[in-house]
Amino acid sequence: PEPEPEPEPEPEPAKIELSKSSTNVSQGNVAGQSTVARENDRISFTISAKNTGGSPEVVELTDDLGDVLEYATLIDRGGGTFDESTKTLSWPDVNLQPGA
């Protein structure tokens, strides 16, 4: 009889890395951390998620804007949904594949 094939090893679990960056559009698209914002400046935020693991995972993308909105106004939701009561901006869940 032929030997049974070895079972496939289990893939590594998903490892999700979330990051957020800002750009001061009004001051020449400089990194938000490198300049002091002035009244009426436009600040653009970017939220990123990367799966460096070996399995897919569904990722919920949300951003709590409570502190930001004390001094600022939201003018572009970036395709997200804003919940006025929780001051949270959210996007549909994403199935993040390994390496994506």
Side-chain angles (χ1 to χ4, degrees):
E2 289 187 33
E4 290 194 28
E6 298 260 344
E8 290 287 322
E10 289 291 320
E12 291 182 40
K15 182 179 178 190
I16 306 300
E17 297 175 2
L18 299 172
S19 63
K20 181 178 176 181
S21 62
S22 63
T23 302
N24 189 317
V25 177
S26 300
Q27 295 186 31
N29 292 321
V30 296
Q33 299 81 354
S34 67
T35 187
V36 175
R38 297 184 296 244
E39 186 177 355
N40 296 320
D41 276 2
R42 285 187 173 214
I43 310 298
S44 173
F45 292 92
T46 301
I47 298 174
S48 302
K50 183 173 183 175
N51 184 354
T52 60
S55 299
E57 184 167 312
V58 174
V59 178
E60 177 184 10
L61 296 175
T62 63
D63 194 15
D64 181 349
L65 300 178
D67 290 344
V68 172
L69 294 177
E70 284 187 42
Y71 305 102
T73 303
L74 180 63
I75 58 171
D76 183 348
R77 294 182 175 109
T81 301
F82 183 66
D83 183 324
E84 185 69 42
S85 64
T86 63
K87 305 290 189 231
T88 302
L89 188 58
S90 61
W91 293 266
D93 292 350
V94 176
N95 187 5
L96 207 52
Q97 297 297 315

